[in-house]
Amino acid sequence: MLLNLAVAEGIKDGSITAVFRRWDAPRVKPGGTQRTPAGVVRFDSVEPVEMDDLTEADAHGAGMPTLAALRKANERGRGSQLYRVEVSFDRPDE
């Protein structure tokens, strides 16, 4: 999963706790990690979610200003299913 620097920094400082991706099948597993420019990020959970079930709390957890912004950002994509990936900072990248 690609995470840009702003998202990676948000995960590191705790302001971002989830990312949303459209996939046909999950591409990360709970407990897995990924190196980013801000350090190593851990994937805590991966769950399918419907657009209609997204909330303002989801938007804020994803670093989006509003629910409408979160929905717009996830309208399109290659995959048929939207996934909520709960993330947390694991450790600095050595």
Side-chain angles (χ1 to χ4, degrees):
M1 173 177 3
L2 295 176
L3 299 171
N4 66 36
L5 180 59
V7 171
E9 289 289 345
I11 295 168
K12 182 178 181 179
D13 71 21
S15 63
I16 294 179
T17 58
V19 293
F20 292 82
R21 294 290 188 272
R22 281 202 170 276
W23 295 319
D24 288 325
R27 295 191 182 164
V28 298
K29 295 179 181 180
T33 59
Q34 179 178 341
R35 292 172 63 187
T36 73
V40 179
V41 169
R42 182 177 51 248
F43 306 116
D44 298 316
S45 68
V46 181
E47 299 177 1
V49 63
E50 298 300 323
M51 287 284 272
D52 291 341
D53 294 334
L54 296 175
T55 65
E56 287 289 339
D58 288 324
H60 295 295
M64 298 282 188
T66 64
L67 177 56
L70 177 62
R71 286 185 172 158
K72 182 172 175 126
N74 289 287
E75 284 176 344
R76 58 199 176 289
R78 295 183 183 199
S80 58
Q81 177 63 55
L82 182 63
Y83 288 88
R84 176 190 294 115
V85 182
E86 298 284 334
V87 292
S88 58
F89 185 72
D90 190 64
R91 64 186 182 277
D93 187 14
E94 297 147 9

